[in-house]
Amino acid sequence: MTVPESSTGAPGGPVRIDGPWTHRDVAANGARFHIAEMGDGPLVLLLHGFPQFWWTWRHQLPALADAGFRAVAMDLRGVGGSDRTPRGYDPANLALDITGVVRSLGEPDAALVGHDLGGYLAWTAAVMRPKLVRRLAVSSMPHPRRWRSAMLSDVAQTRAGSYVWGFQRPWLPERRLVADGAALVGRLIRDWSGVREPDEEVLGVYRRAMAIPSTAHCSIEPYRWMVRSLARPDGIQFNRRMKRPVRVPTLHLHGSADPVMRTRSAAGSGQYVEAPYRWRLFDGIGHYPHEEDPLAFSAELVNWLKDPEPDR
């Protein structure tokens, strides 16, 4: 596949990649956010994970648009073409970024689709701003309370998520991420994928995006908060707040071969959902189901979004 390059307007690499979508910026929660959008209809807001940016949803944007939805993929705070602010990387504020974008797009609500960190934030937004979340679809990430429990009490999950603990060191993780043209980004995505590994051109896009100044630091900051706040008042308060149940239909997608978020850790998140909850396991797929098997992932997502009464 040939990957077109275009400039962000800032040094460091391409973000506004050409395609059937359109690019623009929207203001929300005191910052500016880059989005790629396509289609008309009910809003579906796509939230990327680490170490990626909006382009990870390049397969789902046209699939959702063709199915009659307004598909929007946003760059999270500090990543891609969005603002790199000095603070604001706790999940509560990042969730307000997301719901603020929904408002800025002039929509009454949205179906949130989140992968990895984007999934963590989608869970959070559904609890904090339930009126703005119509449906919830999460991939490769358990509910935040389930994540916390697994990371603290499951030795196998603690080992699988060792990169999160490694992020707690100052400066060194950022330097490692951008060294040698952000080569570590390519290795992480390849190692965390299943048997269907991405090609070098795709990895090159993610490497160039991570090389944009300050991106590495901003990408790591949410994970620093998630660990460092475990025993702090703000983290304890957040964990208590997340006891509130999710009350919108929820689709939970996971790869059976995910090496960094174990199936056992993700399964069981339904206990925090007081609404129709559907669990879908992709056999042999790793941490990136939406990229490793985009046709199956998109079909599952579209069918669920169009189902007027998704059952358990």
Side-chain angles (χ1 to χ4, degrees):
M1 180 181 69
T2 300
V3 180
E5 296 189 19
S6 59
S7 174
T8 62
V15 168
R16 297 175 186 260
I17 299 172
D18 293 336
W21 41 73
T22 58
H23 296 277
R24 65 186 177 102
D25 298 320
V26 297
N29 196 26
R32 177 188 56 85
F33 298 91
H34 165 253
I35 65 169
E37 61 182 329
M38 188 176 176
D40 296 298
L43 176 62
V44 179
L45 185 59
L46 303 155
L47 312 169
H48 66 84
F50 174 86
Q52 302 176 309
F53 65 113
W54 74 268
W55 192 69
T56 191
W57 301 111
R58 62 195 178 280
H59 303 294
Q60 285 70 46
L61 283 167
L64 288 165
D66 289 345
F69 294 98
R70 181 186 184 187
V72 175
M74 68 177 283
D75 281 326
L76 299 179
R77 180 183 293 254
V79 179
S82 294
D83 279 351
R84 287 150 178 78
T85 58
R87 59 187 60 85
Y89 296 95
D90 60 284
N93 191 66
L94 292 171
L96 292 179
D97 290 347
I98 292 163
T99 54
V101 167
V102 174
R103 287 196 179 105
S104 292
L105 292 173
E107 299 285 356
D109 55 33
L112 298 184
V113 181
H115 169 257
D116 186 77
L117 176 62
Y120 190 101
L121 301 178
W123 284 114
T124 304
V127 169
M128 292 182 56
R129 294 290 186 271
K131 292 183 179 179
L132 292 175
V133 181
R134 184 175 70 254
R135 290 197 184 194
L136 180 66
V138 176
S139 175
S140 311
M141 177 58 69
H143 185 277
R145 286 181 62 88
R146 181 74 177 170
W147 179 91
R148 184 181 191 275
S149 175
M151 289 293 283
L152 291 177
S153 61
D154 186 336
V155 174
Q157 180 56 62
T158 300
R159 189 180 302 114
S162 60
Y163 69 97
V164 176
W165 306 108
F167 285 162
Q168 306 314 307
R169 294 170 293 178
W171 303 116
L172 182 59
E174 287 93 334
R175 291 172 181 170
R176 290 187 62 202
L177 272 178
V178 299
D180 299 322
L184 179 58
V185 169
R187 291 198 298 271
L188 289 176
I189 295 175
R190 186 184 297 109
D191 291 347
W192 294 354
S193 299
V195 296
R196 306 177 186 179
E197 295 182 358
D199 61 39
E200 289 301 322
E201 288 181 307
V202 169
L203 295 178
V205 173
Y206 292 121
R207 291 173 60 183
R208 290 192 293 272
M210 185 62 71
I212 297 172
S214 298
T215 300
H217 175 72
C218 296
S219 297
I220 290 172
E221 283 294 274
Y223 294 98
R224 287 182 170 142
W225 186 95
M226 288 160 70
V227 171
R228 296 176 183 179
S229 68
L230 287 173
R232 291 195 322 230
D234 56 336
I236 294 171
Q237 182 181 20
F238 173 77
N239 193 50
R240 288 174 178 167
R241 192 173 189 180
M242 292 305 294
K243 285 184 178 179
R244 300 175 187 172
V246 173
R247 292 195 169 94
V248 295
T250 300
L251 173 65
H252 202 172
L253 306 157
H254 202 80
S256 68
D258 190 332
V260 293
M261 190 55 63
R262 303 177 68 230
T263 301
R264 177 178 175 180
S265 301
S269 296
Q271 66 179 300
Y272 300 104
V273 182
E274 291 185 359
Y277 172 83
R278 184 180 298 178
W279 168 262
R280 170 74 162 88
L281 190 66
F282 292 93
D283 188 42
I285 297 297
H287 191 60
Y288 304 98
H290 58 299
E291 291 201 67
E292 295 176 51
D293 194 349
L295 292 178
F297 184 97
S298 298
E300 189 76 26
L301 178 61
V302 167
N303 290 339
W304 177 78
L305 287 170
K306 298 184 80 169
D307 187 345
E309 296 182 0
D311 56 12
R312 292 182 184 271

